[in-house]
Amino acid sequence: MSCRRQRQMCIRDRPQADPEFKGKTGETYHDAQADRGMFDSPTAPEGAPNILLVLIDDAGFGATSTFGGPCNTPTLDRLAASGLRYNRFHTTALCSPTRAALLTGHNHHSAATGVIMEMGTGFPGYTGIMPRSTATIAQILKNNGYSTAWIGKNHNVPDNMLNNVGPFDRWPNHMGFDYFYGFNGGEADHWYPTLYENLNPVQPWGTPEEGYNLGIDQTDKAIAWLRNQKSIAPDRPFFLYYAPGAVHAPHHPPKQWAKKYQGKFTHGWDKQREITFNRQKELGVIPQDAKLTPRMEQVPSWDSHNANAKRLFERQMEVYAGYYEFTDHQIGRVVDAIDGIGQLDNTLIIYIAGDNGGSAEGSLVGTANEVMNLNGISPTIEESMKFYD
């Protein structure tokens, strides 16, 4: 988290009252006095900072270079060096519940999100329908004079509301966000995504062959929104919730980013755990007397695999690390854009490196959506390699 200036300010936690007429009425216009204040919009407290809230998806505590991991994250390194670094973040270990708790400040059951949206049930605390009494941070800030935007993953719309005709009252635009651009659901193909801009389905601007990637696209939208917002209302602070959906599967970075890690994981995951653990001690993010936990029984030892399997798993680690560095680079573009409009000194940046820790979705060879064959049978090593070329 980085904030170059600390301030005290008062934010109301409820909607502001409708404007009260303070002019004068009379029998004719000449006897009356208009009140221009009736047109005033809510105004943020003097000195209120902009807020950039970044939420990474499905990343473990030991993934980033900032916390001793193998994935280079220079943007997070830079922010940590100029701000504060936290090594404890309590989550619900699921996407939707953690995000609902983060956005509302309430226990995930109080936000009716005890499970992910696709598993919602007709029981209290598990519907996925956030109560109207549970305001989001965007609603609170908007009512206090902020511009608000949500870019990226939205996994907080009830499953039965995910369609083009609504109801839309639990979509971002009705939950306090002036602008939304991204995808609904837990994951998206980053080459051919299903996208929404506000409430409207939109098409990607191009194909992968033309250079399209959702990670780049959503960052471009975030930067455009920031610049537009400050050019029109330079005195109004902004709240930007940037949730890129990475590094959740499917892992789709441009090839050059994965190539940067070629050959970096030949030692395998058992050795990598030791390397990360020792780096974390060096950085002081874990106690010096900490003991490395045993490898989970569900995960075979690295040496138990043959050469072909190791080749696949090395490639998976290369792609994942490249995907993370690519994502961190996109976040860096947003930070640089804030600096470019002269707002970095007045922006609180909160970079959360993982909404619920590393994911165990699918199996060692990936999730069902990515690598299962048509018969629903786990693919062979050779079949899986085709997905990582």
Side-chain angles (χ1 to χ4, degrees), residues 22-37:
K22 296 181 180 179
K24 186 178 69 172
T25 60
E27 292 185 5
T28 68
Y29 178 80
H30 297 288
D31 299 330
Q33 181 179 353
D35 178 10
R36 298 294 300 177

Side-chain angles (χ1 to χ4, degrees), residues 55-219:
L55 183 61
I56 299 297
D57 200 349
D58 279 5
F61 180 53
T64 67
S65 57
T66 315
F67 289 90
C71 308
N72 292 321
T73 48
T75 300
L76 183 56
D77 291 345
R78 173 162 54 108
L79 295 172
S82 63
L84 300 173
R85 182 174 54 182
Y86 294 90
N87 64 0
R88 181 176 298 178
F89 181 62
H90 295 265
T91 79
T92 66
L94 287 169
C95 285
S96 304
T98 294
R99 292 159 189 266
L102 177 66
L103 289 171
T104 65
H106 286 253
N107 176 279
H108 53 299
H109 292 99
S110 298
T113 316
V115 291
I116 61 173
M117 294 293 105
E118 295 81 356
M119 296 177 63
T121 66
F123 290 95
Y126 292 90
T127 63
I129 304 173
M130 290 191 202
R132 300 189 191 281
S133 59
T134 307
T136 68
I137 185 174
Q139 288 171 309
I140 293 171
L141 291 175
K142 183 177 180 179
N143 288 332
N144 284 271
Y146 273 70
S147 294
T148 57
W150 180 335
I151 305 290
K153 174 176 174 174
N154 173 16
H155 201 188
N156 290 104
V157 173
D159 201 38
N160 66 320
M161 298 184 185
L162 286 178
N163 58 70
N164 295 343
V165 296
F168 298 113
D169 53 331
R170 262 61 176 196
W171 285 52
N173 293 117
H174 292 272
M175 300 292 283
F177 290 90
D178 298 322
Y179 180 72
F180 170 71
Y181 184 83
F183 61 93
N184 294 310
E187 62 183 38
D189 188 318
H190 276 44
W191 303 115
Y192 302 98
T194 299
L195 291 174
Y196 283 84
E197 187 165 29
N198 298 316
L199 305 178
N200 306 309
V202 294
Q203 292 294 324
W205 59 256
T207 66
E209 292 74 21
E210 296 170 319
Y212 182 86
N213 181 278
L214 178 58
I216 299 171
D217 182 19
Q218 62 194 4
T219 304

Side-chain angles (χ1 to χ4, degrees), residues 318-341:
E318 292 167 4
V319 172
Y320 181 91
Y323 191 31
Y324 209 145
E325 184 172 347
F326 167 71
T327 301
D328 181 82
H329 175 73
Q330 300 307 315
I331 297 165
R333 291 179 57 212
V334 176
V335 174
D336 289 344
I338 294 172
D339 193 15
I341 58 176

